[in-house]
Amino acid sequence: MQKPLLIHRYLFKEMITPFFLSMAVATFILLLAKIVELTDMVVTRGVGMGVVARLLLYAMPYFFVFTVPMATLLGVLLGFLRLSSDNEIIALRAAGVSLRSLLPPVAALALLAWMLTQGLSLWVLPWGHNQFENVVFEVAHSRADLALRERVFLDSFGKMTMYVNRLPGERLMQDIFIVDERDPEKVNTVVAKRGRLFPGKDGHIILRLYEGTMHGVDSSLRSARNASFKTYDIQLETGSIGQAQRQGKHRKEMYLGELLSAMDQNVNDDRQHNLLDMEFQQRFSYPFSCLVMALIALPLGTHWQGGRSWGVIAALAVFLVYYLMLSLAWSLGDTGYYPPKIGVWMPNLTFGVLGFLMFKAEVREKPLPILDALGNLPALIMSKHTKDAEE
């Protein structure tokens, strides 16, 4: 009894280090991409670093839901790959230790990863999305310029549509086009070279336009007027921005009970019902992928002969194919091509069956042809590279 426990403890230690290292690296890469995206808010919009730090904190649960399954795949694969490259797997088999008896530490790591991701998906993820949107709403409510986007028509200011060609700096605008329909008796079209936002009274924002023209028509379309101006002030209400952005929770912000309630309310709207159902299913399918990734990684790690660097490439390729299938399932489910319950779970089912067949074949020491092909791939690539170099 003591011998299997020692082996299991040894294997778990071999997997846990690459697991945490992979999770840290993958999370850092996603975090870095988000930092680059939010840099514009600091550099050109003057948003404080504290706000950006809060946004990054609330985005962390979303990152972990993706990086924990990836870390499970890499942890198991790299752990067994190290044992396989040092011929320790062969030694264990020669000592009468079957591959099936090595399952407990792999199952333990996979179950821990699944429970962690499931908890994040059910409770922390919707909370993070909700807090993220709340911070964006609060900032946009106090800073109207943050609601602006370059070369995009925006209707976030009530009955006024605005187009800005460039946003060169904090509260500054260039090449502005506005359609003002707040007065139904006269519609004004305003074009200006420059503009700037100033804080007003009672929660209002003043948009001051420079060097422009105003064109207006009455409701009967019988009379028109044109005027040029050096400066022209328009009063904006920040409340209209908030109302445009926060009209109830997005499906990603909803907890399970709220998703089920929303599905009942949209039972006659097929597309909205499908989107809500897919969100509901993904709360369980993403965490379950931890178990699937571990099942794939075990036979791949024991059979792979290409070294750790090639193992990382193989793991990333597996993960890429998995999420490409998931993206395809989301797109087809969005169109109603098939029920969301089938599409969202199809990648797990496909990779789960493949992992089971690979593991079963590896236990019988009659690996599937795909395992032999993958195992020989690094050697073929290196031999071809050497041959090309000699020529």
Side-chain angles (χ1 to χ4, degrees):
M1 184 67 181
Q2 188 68 23
K3 185 177 178 180
L5 286 176
L6 288 173
I7 295 173
H8 294 165
R9 198 176 301 131
Y10 175 69
L11 288 175
F12 191 81
K13 289 180 179 179
E14 286 292 325
M15 295 184 294
I16 199 68
T17 300
F19 170 80
F20 281 113
L21 185 61
S22 303
M23 185 169 62
V25 171
T27 304
F28 175 75
I29 292 172
L30 292 178
L31 189 63
L32 196 62
K34 196 66 175 180
I35 289 174
V36 172
E37 181 183 333
L38 295 175
T39 299
D40 177 67
M41 297 180 67
V42 178
V43 176
T44 63
R45 306 297 182 89
V47 176
M49 289 298 297
V51 173
V52 173
R54 289 169 63 195
L55 291 175
L56 290 175
L57 174 65
Y58 297 140
M60 291 298 288
Y62 177 76
F63 297 157
F64 283 130
V65 168
F66 284 94
T67 58
V68 173
M70 181 187 292
T72 306
L73 172 65
L74 282 166
V76 177
L77 177 60
L78 293 179
F80 275 85
L81 194 60
R82 212 279 301 163
L83 299 176
S84 181
S85 61
D86 292 345
N87 296 321
E88 292 185 36
I89 295 293
I90 296 176
L92 287 172
R93 284 179 169 175
V97 180
S98 67
L99 188 62
R100 189 179 285 107
S101 65
L102 302 180
L103 269 177
V106 177
L109 179 63
L111 286 171
L112 288 173
W114 169 70
M115 288 189 291
L116 172 62
T117 314
Q118 189 67 75
L120 289 171
S121 180
L122 292 182
W123 297 291
V124 186
L125 183 62
W127 171 84
H129 278 302
N130 182 253
Q131 294 299 317
F132 187 96
E133 294 299 326
N134 285 340
V135 172
V136 172
F137 163 69
E138 291 170 7
V139 175
H141 194 272
S142 60
R143 290 279 307 278
D145 58 314
L146 294 179
L148 300 174
R149 296 290 183 271
E150 290 185 347
R151 293 177 288 277
V152 174
F153 285 95
L154 297 171
D155 57 358
S156 303
F157 302 94
K159 295 182 178 180
M160 186 164 60
T161 303
M162 184 183 302
Y163 177 92
V164 180
N165 188 51
R166 286 195 62 225
L167 297 167
E170 182 180 353
R171 301 179 184 271
L172 298 176
M173 294 172 278
Q174 289 183 357
D175 301 326
I176 307 153
F177 175 83
I178 297 174
V179 178
D180 188 351
E181 299 177 295
R182 291 178 294 180
D183 186 349
E185 296 299 323
K186 51 182 180 181
V187 177
N188 293 323
T189 302
V190 185
V191 180
K193 291 183 178 180
R194 295 179 294 113
R196 182 162 189 163
L197 294 169
F198 295 91
K201 297 180 179 180
D202 302 325
H204 296 100
I205 295 290
I206 302 299
L207 170 58
R208 181 162 295 169
L209 302 173
Y210 303 91
E211 301 178 55
T213 58
M214 182 168 57
H215 313 275
V217 294
D218 60 15
S219 57
S220 64
L221 303 180
R222 293 181 179 179
S223 63
R225 55 197 177 278
N226 301 308
S228 300
F229 58 83
K230 290 186 176 180
T231 62
Y232 178 67
D233 288 352
I234 299 178
Q235 180 174 280
L236 306 177
E237 294 185 6
T238 56
S240 61
I241 303 172
Q243 292 169 6
Q245 291 186 350
R246 297 296 286 170
Q247 294 180 348
K249 283 185 175 182
H250 189 269
R251 62 179 179 274
K252 293 186 179 298
E253 303 173 61
M254 297 180 182
Y255 294 94
L256 292 186
E258 294 171 320
L259 282 170
L260 291 172
S261 177
M263 288 167 62
D264 290 337
Q265 294 173 8
N266 291 274
V267 68
N268 295 323
D269 186 345
D270 291 339
R271 185 175 184 276
Q272 188 63 24
H273 188 274
N274 283 344
L275 290 173
L276 291 166
D277 196 7
M278 281 191 291
E279 182 65 32
F280 182 88
Q281 298 298 327
Q282 283 183 342
R283 298 290 174 88
F284 297 94
S285 67
Y286 282 168
F288 191 82
S289 65
C290 294
L291 306 177
V292 174
M293 292 299 146
L295 185 60
I296 283 280
L298 177 55
L300 198 59
T302 56
H303 198 79
W304 192 262
Q305 301 296 327
R308 285 199 170 193
S309 58
W310 287 102
V312 171
I313 295 173
L316 294 177
V318 169
F319 211 70
L320 178 62
V321 173
Y322 177 87
Y323 277 103
L324 284 175
M325 289 182 63
L326 201 59
S327 298
L328 179 62
W330 178 272
S331 300
L332 295 177
D334 185 15
T335 60
Y337 189 77
Y338 53 67
K341 292 181 181 61
I342 297 177
V344 173
W345 285 95
M346 186 57 69
N348 281 335
L349 180 62
T350 303
F351 276 79
V353 170
L354 179 61
F356 175 76
L357 293 176
M358 290 166 60
F359 176 76
K360 186 177 179 181
E362 195 69 11
V363 167
R364 294 182 302 180
E365 298 187 15
K366 294 180 179 179
L368 297 178
I370 187 174
L371 275 179
D372 284 330
L374 289 173
N376 295 329
L377 187 60
L380 289 174
I381 294 176
M382 292 301 295
S383 63
K384 185 171 185 348
H385 178 73
T386 304
K387 184 179 179 181
D388 292 341
E390 291 175 352
E391 291 177 354

